[in-house]
Amino acid sequence: MATPCTLFKRPFTVCLEGNIGSGKTTFLSHFKKFKNVTVLQEPVELWRNKAGTNLLELMYTDPTRYAFLFQSYVQLTMLKLHTHETSFPYKIMERSVYSARCFIESMKRSKTLKDIETVILEDWYDWCITNCHIETDLIVYLRTSPEIVYQRMKERARMEENSVSLEYLKQIHDIHEEWLYHQTLFTVPAPVLVLDGNKSLKEMLTEFEHCKNQIFKKLK
Ligand code: TTP
Ligand code: MG
């Protein structure tokens, strides 16, 4: 017998990826004007206030104590975006459970996460991608240079990110590159459209038009 789940027609799902400060939120906001697209911004506000606790701040202040807690909540909130149902034919989301894995990888390499903490997060991750409906149709990768995103991050001045160094952004960049550009790290769940995220806001509008056509073309 068909369950409500099998009757539900899955939207064409796009995940927007890129380093911290690569312009994902801005890029995503351009899609809000279309009536047939569900735009899901990253739940960063939830990470900053979960039952009155700022998990993002705790993670940056005391990473060895709080990275596991933070990443486990990121993973849950990302899964909620993936499984968010919509009647619209398109869904575009900021980041994904896949790119949260880039941060886990970084924390694993820097030993911020204990080996057993990484094992548990990866176990959850493997179980979710096998058992949950998180199919993705396209990844848009805003490819940026770490120096540029460092500058943007400083200008944006998100209080929790005071301590984020250029070194850290380089590491996150390298992992995104390994994953999406060279495709040598973990599974890439969909075709990747690489966009130059170093451009100015005005130039990014042109990139947006280009990208918009590519995305909408896919459904025809
Ligand atoms: P991003 O997810 O990169 O979001 P952003 O809003 O900074 O990006 P953009 O400017 O392109 O819109 O990072 C949000 C913060 O959360 C950042 O400080 C990095 C942190 N973070 C982790 O520590 N672990 C994670 O798994 C994720 C997804 C983010
Ligand atoms: Mg953002």
Side-chain angles (χ1 to χ4, degrees):
M1 197 178 83
T3 63
C5 233
T6 55
L7 291 173
F8 171 70
K9 191 176 177 307
R10 195 174 67 75
F12 184 89
T13 304
V14 182
C15 296
L16 185 55
E17 307 290 3
N19 205 347
I20 301 169
S22 56
K24 297 182 291 299
T25 303
T26 310
F27 196 81
L28 210 67
S29 65
H30 295 309
F31 284 93
K32 285 187 179 161
K33 61 180 177 229
F34 300 106
K35 289 201 175 67
N36 56 353
V37 183
T38 298
V39 176
L40 298 177
Q41 255 154 311
E42 186 173 59
V44 69
E45 289 316 316
L46 291 178
W47 309 341
R48 301 173 96 181
N49 182 3
K50 178 60 186 171
T53 298
N54 187 337
L55 296 175
L56 184 65
E57 184 181 23
L58 288 178
M59 186 273 297
Y60 278 127
T61 314
D62 191 352
T64 41
R65 168 73 183 82
Y66 291 109
F68 177 80
L69 173 67
F70 180 71
Q71 288 306 138
S72 103
Y73 190 53
V74 167
Q75 213 153 256
L76 173 66
T77 53
M78 284 302 174
L79 282 169
K80 286 184 180 176
L81 294 195
H82 281 284
T83 55
H84 176 101
E85 289 191 3
T86 171
S87 54
F88 292 159
Y90 296 97
K91 179 163 114 177
I92 303 196
M93 35 187 290
E94 182 171 355
R95 285 211 180 278
S96 59
V97 73
Y98 307 108
S99 64
R101 179 104 194 254
C102 292
F103 289 85
I104 295 173
E105 179 66 22
S106 164
M107 291 165 180
K108 175 183 178 176
R109 292 181 189 182
S110 63
K111 302 260 181 240
T112 304
L113 284 170
K114 294 183 188 71
D115 290 346
I116 188 62
E117 290 175 327
T118 306
V119 167
I120 301 298
L121 288 170
E122 289 179 349
D123 216 355
W124 265 110
Y125 173 89
D126 290 339
W127 188 88
C128 290
I129 62 164
T130 311
N131 295 286
C132 302
H133 289 288
I134 59 169
E135 293 85 355
T136 304
D137 299 288
L138 181 70
I139 291 184
V140 177
Y141 175 32
L142 288 182
R143 193 167 184 239
T144 46
S145 92
E147 287 75 14
I148 288 183
V149 295
Y150 183 69
Q151 196 52 42
R152 288 185 191 157
M153 191 192 66
K154 287 283 165 205
E155 281 160 20
R156 156 172 96 191
R158 200 181 262 156
M159 176 273 284
E160 297 85 349
E161 293 169 349
N162 274 340
S163 61
V164 176
S165 64
L166 178 58
E167 267 329 293
Y168 184 65
L169 294 179
K170 281 182 177 162
Q171 192 183 34
I172 298 295
H173 169 76
D174 288 345
I175 295 173
H176 276 78
E177 287 285 281
E178 282 175 54
W179 174 43
L180 292 179
Y181 198 75
H182 305 294
Q183 307 205 349
T184 51
L185 195 54
F186 26 75
T187 317
V188 181
V192 181
L193 176 65
V194 181
L195 299 183
D196 181 359
N198 290 329
K199 294 182 172 169
S200 67
L201 271 183
K202 205 167 150 221
E203 291 170 312
M204 280 311 286
L205 209 58
T206 320
E207 286 288 285
F208 166 74
E209 289 301 322
H210 169 72
C211 170
K212 178 196 78 182
N213 294 336
Q214 294 235 4
I215 293 172
F216 289 142
K217 197 170 62 190
K218 304 261 179 201
L219 204 73
K220 284 181 192 157

